[in-house]
Amino acid sequence: MELVTPGIGLIFWQTVTFIIVLFLLSKFAWKPIMNALHDREASIEKALSAAEKAKLEMQGLKAENEKLLAEARMERDKILKEASDAGNALIESAKQKANEEGGRMITQAREAIENEKRAAITEVKNMAAVLSVDIAERILRKELSNPQAQQELAKDYIKEVTLN
Amino acid sequence: MKKLFILLFSFLTISAYAEAPVEGGEFKPGDMITHHIADDYIWHFADGVTLYLPVILVDNGQFNVFSSSNFYDENHELVPYGGYVVSHGHIYRADASGQPSADQSSLLDFSITKNVASLFVSVALLFFVFFTIAGAYKKNPGKAPKGIQSFFEPIIIFIRDEIAKANIGPKYERYMPYLLTVFFFIWFNNLLGLMPGGANLTGNIAVTLVLATLTLLITVFSGNKSYWAHIFATPGVPKWLAPIMIPVELIGILTKPFSLMVRLFANITAGHIIILSLFSLIFIFQSVAVGPLSVAFATFMNFLELFVALLQAYIFTLLSAMYFGGAVEEHDHVGDMGHGDGAHH
């Protein structure tokens, strides 16, 4: 019975002391501790959400970069294609031009050759004529002592030449 | 520092209770145990090391303060002093023959007993520890905890998240100071009670009575409309049952803190009794052979008591939080048959 009979003295001291402890600890210990914990948790929360946001932003940037890269790649391909088309066209036109030029030059050369040939033939003919005349003259000088026969023969030759 | 604590705990605790009052006659374990777990006017640490505490009496409105050493003669025997006598651990008015007289009306005893002195020591310790921790938080705001701060921080967070938030709900914050104070008060005093020469403060019914009463008062004063509605008009119960229901509910208000009071008192006192009984075996059998066995069991019990010290602090705090939670909860009356305590989680 002794054990379960609360003494007035201890009840008094326990009540007074506990209430003082409760008050002082609340004011000078629990309040700053709880506030500090709360602040720290809030700052951690903030840091985490900021990191999450940064991650999302990074992802956005990455996607943007990817898009830009893809666009750049497409642009490059387009430019390359255009350039190669242009090059091909240039080559094609150059070839054509060269072919035309070549054809023209061949034609010209042919014409020139023809002309030269004709001139050469003419010259050969003339040379042959002169030579024949020379030869004939030498033969005739010996054969024709008479000037009249000479003249008549010359006339015949000339006629023949002009007819030709 | 840590090693010192372990040393203190490990062997001084054991030797503490080994002091046996075998004064001349037969050894009475019952008397020895009762003496150890009861309050006293002196603080006896070891033979020859005794602190005489002040006696404060209010006799018919008259203050009477003197040292308790006056009650002891040179042989450490109790003697009457100034018209008072100590008998079975209490101060009474003495009659001419030095025995407690028949008239004990309006004699109030506010002495600084061993328990009160121990209470002051625990308070000093609480202040020292938690002001230091609060200082550490102010000094390093937003930083990771260090030293003693990092030991207590998880406990404080546990009380906040697992006890207060989980059982009280969104209004938990205003109950935090009480829950934290009560938890650390009980835990520290439970541990101090296990220390050599420590007082059995949390195993004293007066202390647990005050703590339980505070929980009761806080519960009653924070009770909202639905809390009182559950008591005076329990939803789902026919009106004609009210004459039975209302008294039952009113008794229910009181039984909750009553269970808190008895639970803490009984657990702590029982632990002390078991350890003391184990040591008494040595003196009962008067055999050296029993010694090691007794010490082994007592050591085991001591470790168990260290755990119980924490567990009881936790249970008291948890149940208090549940009662507060029941008082501030906003009930959705439909389907709730008005089970008050513990039905919501």
Side-chain angles (χ1 to χ4, degrees), chain A residues 35-49, chain B residues 160:
Chain A
N35 285 345
L37 286 177
H38 183 264
D39 289 352
R40 195 205 295 157
E41 273 158 17
S43 85
I44 289 170
E45 192 73 21
K46 219 175 101 191
L48 281 178
S49 68
Chain B
R160 186 191 64 184

Side-chain angles (χ1 to χ4, degrees), chain B residues 148 161 319 337:
Chain B
I148 193 171
D161 294 349
L319 290 174
M337 296 305 274

Side-chain angles (χ1 to χ4, degrees), chain A residues 2-6 9-15 17-18 21-22 24 26 28-30 33-34 36-37 40-41, chain B residues 90 109-112 116 119 123 127 131 134 137 143 153 160 177 180-181 184-185 204-205 209-211 214:
Chain A
E2 164 68 35
L3 271 178
V4 290
T5 314
L10 194 51
I11 290 179
F12 169 78
W13 288 112
Q14 168 68 15
T15 309
T17 316
F18 189 82
V21 170
L22 181 59
L24 289 178
S26 306
F28 299 112
W30 306 136
I33 291 173
M34 297 306 288
L37 286 177
R40 195 205 295 157
E41 273 158 17
Chain B
H90 286 283
D109 182 2
F110 290 107
S111 303
I112 308 296
V116 179
L119 169 70
V123 167
F127 282 160
F131 289 164
Y137 277 105
K143 295 267 165 62
E153 187 180 296
R160 186 191 64 184
L180 286 167
T181 311
F184 288 111
F185 181 87
N204 191 298
I205 196 114
L209 170 74
V210 171
L211 294 176
L214 284 172

Side-chain angles (χ1 to χ4, degrees), chain B residues 245-260:
Chain B
M245 285 309 290
I246 291 170
V248 167
E249 289 284 347
L250 286 175
I251 292 166
I253 297 178
L254 294 176
T255 52
K256 287 171 191 171
F258 187 81
S259 72
L260 282 182

Side-chain angles (χ1 to χ4, degrees), chain A residues 142-156:
Chain A
K142 272 182 187 168
E143 281 185 8
L144 299 173
S145 44
N146 145 359
Q148 209 187 333
Q150 284 172 11
Q151 268 177 356
E152 266 181 44
L153 191 67
K155 272 177 191 168
D156 280 350

